[in-house]
Amino acid sequence: MAGLERVRFLMNFWISFSLALYFHSGEREEKCIIEDVPRDTLVVGNYKVQRWDIHKQDFLESAPGLGMFVTVTTPSAEVLLSKLYGPQGTFSFTSYLSGEHIICLQSNSTRFVAFSGSKLEREEKFRKTSEETNSNILWWAIVQTLILISIGVWQIKSLRDFFISKKLV
């Protein structure tokens, strides 16, 4: 599929220490981070959105119009920040409550504007493959069990008929 693209985010938070996150996301896929933030703390996040070129197997610079929608929710479920940013930039907010803040990031791309398709993250592909493999193993184990039970029943019946014919029972 020509033109498959991947969005790459790089986030840095400076709370009381530096915490860096790096993850891949498909188009219009929302990624949320839950961070325990102390009261009256300035949180700064840096991000960069890049397109994945399947032919070059490398990230390209972002297309015009590609951006990042950032939403921050406080522990009391109040929206503290909800804003559309460009393809690379910084967002910041100051927490007025201590507790778990939810920081959600979503690219503003659509198939029509910037993407002709999307790729799953590697971990999602791996998880999906693992789940399918585990499901196949479960069904194979069930089939083997049924075969063993049916062979056991057949053996018991055959031995019973043999003993009856030989008048041992």
Side-chain angles (χ1 to χ4, degrees):
M1 297 171 98
L4 283 180
E5 299 165 352
R6 185 180 293 173
V7 179
R8 181 171 71 172
F9 304 103
L10 178 60
M11 303 232 7
N12 291 316
F13 292 101
W14 292 275
I15 297 174
S16 59
F17 59 95
S18 179
L19 172 68
L21 299 172
Y22 173 87
F23 54 89
H24 294 259
S25 177
E27 63 180 73
R28 305 292 292 171
E29 181 181 3
E30 185 176 53
K31 292 285 187 171
C32 293
I33 303 154
I34 300 174
E35 189 65 41
D36 192 14
V37 181
R39 183 178 184 185
D40 296 326
T41 302
L42 175 64
V43 178
V44 179
N46 296 317
Y47 67 91
K48 185 175 186 179
V49 180
Q50 291 181 306
R51 299 179 312 146
W52 176 254
D53 188 340
I54 189 121
H55 300 297
K56 293 181 181 178
Q57 292 293 312
D58 197 10
F59 291 99
L60 304 174
E61 290 305 312
S62 297
L66 191 61
M68 179 66 60
F69 190 74
V70 180
T71 305
V72 178
T73 309
T74 65
S76 62
E78 179 184 342
V79 176
L80 189 61
L81 174 69
S82 181
K83 188 174 177 184
L84 178 63
Y85 292 91
Q88 181 176 358
T90 302
F91 65 89
S92 63
F93 66 92
T94 302
S95 62
Y96 64 88
L97 289 174
S98 61
E100 292 184 340
H101 287 67
I102 302 171
I103 304 163
C104 294
L105 302 136
Q106 181 180 22
S107 80
N108 70 338
S109 68
T110 63
R111 289 184 186 270
F112 181 72
V113 174
F115 294 96
S116 63
S118 66
K119 271 186 154 178
L120 294 174
E121 294 171 63
R122 284 187 193 140
E123 76 180 74
E124 287 182 20
K125 277 187 176 179
F126 180 75
R127 180 182 49 79
K128 198 173 185 182
T129 303
S130 296
E131 287 175 358
E132 290 173 1
T133 303
N134 288 340
S135 175
N136 290 340
I137 290 170
L138 175 68
W139 284 111
W140 179 244
I142 290 171
V143 168
Q144 283 182 330
T145 303
L146 291 175
I147 290 171
L148 288 173
I149 289 172
S150 62
I151 289 173
V153 169
W154 175 77
Q155 284 181 336
I156 290 171
K157 183 184 178 309
S158 297
L159 281 172
R160 187 173 156 252
D161 291 344
F162 173 76
F163 288 139
I164 289 174
S165 71
K166 296 293 181 180
K167 298 184 183 179
L168 295 174
V169 176

